[in-house]
Amino acid sequence: MTLAVLCGSTGNDLDPAAAGRLADELTVGLTAAGASAVLTADGGDVAAQLRDIARIAAGAKEPLLLCADDLVAHPSLLWTLATEPAGRSTALVAATATGAGGDLREDRGRLVPAADGPTRFLGALCLAPGDLRLVAAAAEEAIVAGENGGATDVMTRAPSVGNALEALLPALLASGLVPIATRVRLLHAERVHTDAELAAAQAAVAAVDEDKALLRLAVKEKDDFFTTYAVSSWSPLVTKLCARAGLTPSGVTALSVLFAVAAALAFWEASRPAMIAGAVLLYLGFVLDCVDGQLARYTRRFGAFGGWLDTMADRAKEYAVYAGLAAGAERAGLPYAWPLAITAIVLQTVRHMTDTWYGALHDEAAARQAVGTAGNADAGGGMGARLSRASNKVQADTGSAAYWLKRIVVFPIGERWALIAVLAALTNGRVALAAVVGWGLFAAAYTLGLRSLRSVAMRVGVLDTVDTSRHRDDGRLVRGTVSAADLSRPLLWAAVAAIAPLALIGAVAAGRVPRGTRWELGSIELVRAGNASLWLLVAALLVLGGGLAARASHGGPLDWLVPAGLRAAEYLMVVAVAMICDVSPPVAFALLFVLALHHYDLTARMEKGAPDATAKRALLGWDGRVVLLVLFALAGAATFGQLLLAAGTGLGFLTGAIRDWRGGGRR
């Protein structure tokens, strides 16, 4: 539930009876938005209102929805504020008419202070429980600033206004609050000060078909090219039908999984009619994949479980399709399909890990901007700053050729699924997988290069503020022994860990290292330069070296790459063992599939605020799994070892998910 506070305004020219009716309407709207109680902060001046708000916030244990009593808005906007998907603080804002003159601007959907910015605050703010601690100090700062006549700095000023929220928000931003932007878009909201403004605003609200607007607003505003034009142009119709049928977003997610599995089975059958049917099923599954999120936004049925399930299902569906394409190509007698599928799953998972932590870096940079410290990639004149400004300019020019090219080149999920569907229908699974790998490699190089330059310009670390061992997926070997070296530069050691098995894979593929392991103590065979057992041990030791700096601060500008580097090291070690020991490619793919789900589970729980009873750490992390991989390989049981690891990791993942989600909220 949410606690709401209606903040009284002073100094307006509204008729008292009309102002009372507006306050009553807002109270009804706040209650409909889920407020358990609607309190008032209607002191005689702004300072008294601020003290009221601080007192209420100090005793609150739930989200606090603050609303000015002179706001005329569609009720669904208050509902949207109170139901932010990830439970973060959010503010109601609108673009200024001229593109300047506001106090705010958006950075990846988050609000940061900006003198003469393009965004203005509309007098409604929902504070997450974790941010309520900022209210008391911010209120006092706003009071002091107001008593001193205000200041010119947008982050600390408390202008002479008739509502406390206009003074409180700048002070909260100065204290480190970085709220999510809830924009009006197709709906209507405005503050009113006269009876004429009130009548005009109410007419503007009545002129909008609220349900139709909400359905359209359920579509992501800035989506990718294929999704925008080939899916979102008609998916709201499906969303409406699903809502009428009483389907939940998680139910739609389950349907999309069924379509993707059916597509994978069709690709495995590999006949031309089956390939065409698989392409159609894949497209329809992607439509449903978009509809589940649209339905959640339309019905405001959010929850940590739904967000987690959506993330896990997206990855499982895509990787199941890779397996179907590879199996079908093998049935058709086409070689190298499984190696392509293995390359695709490793590449895409590592790319997703970089996406996760680069996004976290941006959020940290936005938070530091809010309090006036390092983190503004637009500042200065370096290459990273120039790239950031150029990127922001392209992003602002929505619909232009440059905008869509930038969206397409990074190879998002819509483009990946479209490419797979078209090439599978017209050619075969091997061609589709080769295209996914080729485009994926280009996109990885492009994004990694640009992001590295921009992150250096930000001068911000991200993993130094969190529990790095959890993000790294360190096991007890690293935590108890390897990290005792207490070295610095975690990115360097993660890079060495990833390069070592990659070099071994290249040597095996080139015939420099023979296949097969022979562990014979005392034998001259062990120390021969080409012996696979020796090189496998060397590679494993270098991979474990990724834990040497586990205890060090991960505050470097590029340390957001550390988790992805460790994922790459482990996955490439699986591939190296499979190549040397002639493990069947489907077995290696199965292990990689389960490991990927395990790591997506880890990041999805952190991103969605999901419960995690395993936070105490499991016995095996990436380090323990690497050791077992090598031991089974040296014992001549590599296939059994990979199957055992797949079963054990998968069982641990499933039992942990069932235990943590049993009895939890559902979307």
Side-chain angles (χ1 to χ4, degrees), residues 171-197:
L172 284 170
L173 295 176
S175 300
L177 179 71
V178 188
I180 299 297
T182 294
R183 293 192 288 116
V184 174
R185 293 176 65 188
L186 301 179
L187 298 171
H188 188 82
E190 63 177 289
R191 303 280 296 280
V192 297
H193 306 93
T194 66
D195 292 339
E197 290 179 356

Side-chain angles (χ1 to χ4, degrees), residues 28-320:
V28 171
L30 291 168
T31 303
S36 57
V38 180
L39 308 178
T40 59
D42 56 358
D45 56 25
V46 170
Q49 292 179 25
L50 287 168
R51 291 190 178 97
D52 263 359
I53 293 171
R55 174 182 53 79
I56 294 169
K61 304 297 183 183
E62 54 196 332
L64 187 62
L65 179 55
L66 307 173
C67 180
D69 69 352
D70 58 0
L71 175 67
V72 177
H74 282 97
S76 56
L77 288 171
L78 299 176
W79 186 35
T80 301
L81 282 173
T83 53
E84 201 284 321
R88 299 165 294 188
S89 295
T90 182
L92 184 64
V93 297
T96 60
T98 62
D103 291 342
L104 303 166
R105 71 174 177 85
E106 289 187 46
D107 184 345
R108 289 171 54 89
R110 290 174 173 256
L111 294 170
V112 294
D116 201 30
T119 303
R120 58 190 173 89
F121 177 52
L122 289 178
L125 171 70
C126 189
L127 293 170
D131 292 327
L132 294 178
R133 58 182 176 78
L134 301 174
V135 175
E140 189 59 35
E141 289 177 9
I143 292 170
V144 171
E147 291 173 347
N148 293 334
T152 56
D153 191 322
V154 70
M155 295 193 335
T156 58
R157 73 183 184 195
S160 178
V161 295
N163 192 284
L165 291 180
E166 295 179 14
L168 180 63
L169 181 61
L172 284 170
L173 295 176
S175 300
L177 179 71
V178 188
I180 299 297
T182 294
R183 293 192 288 116
V184 174
R185 293 176 65 188
L186 301 179
L187 298 171
H188 188 82
E190 63 177 289
R191 303 280 296 280
V192 297
H193 306 93
T194 66
D195 292 339
E197 290 179 356
L198 175 60
Q202 289 175 334
V205 168
V208 176
D209 185 333
E210 189 171 10
D211 185 70
K212 184 177 180 180
L214 286 174
L215 189 60
R216 193 62 213 171
L217 289 173
V219 176
K220 288 183 180 179
E221 185 178 12
K222 291 184 178 181
D223 218 328
D224 303 312
F225 182 81
F226 178 78
T227 306
T228 298
Y229 291 104
V231 177
S232 297
S233 56
W234 66 280
S235 60
L237 300 175
V238 183
T239 301
K240 185 71 172 180
L241 290 173
C242 290
R244 288 179 176 175
L247 292 177
T248 65
S250 294
V252 176
T253 299
L255 286 176
S256 73
V257 171
L258 292 177
F259 272 80
V261 170
L265 291 173
F267 293 147
W268 168 75
E269 203 280 332
S271 67
R272 181 55 52 206
M275 296 296 281
I276 294 172
V280 173
L281 288 168
L282 188 62
Y283 169 68
L284 294 176
F286 182 65
V287 171
L288 291 173
D289 184 50
C290 296
V291 167
D292 63 1
Q294 292 173 14
L295 184 62
R297 289 185 287 273
Y298 178 59
T299 61
R300 308 308 296 176
R301 297 180 67 173
F302 298 112
F305 173 76
W308 172 86
L309 180 64
D310 187 42
T311 298
M312 300 302 295
D314 283 352
R315 303 289 75 80
K317 289 183 295 187
E318 183 172 358
Y319 296 161

Side-chain angles (χ1 to χ4, degrees), residues 585-606:
V587 172
F589 186 92
L591 176 55
L592 291 170
F593 182 92
V594 173
L595 289 175
L597 290 185
H598 164 68
H599 287 120
Y600 281 120
D601 175 51
L602 181 68
T603 58
R605 286 173 187 261
M606 291 185 288

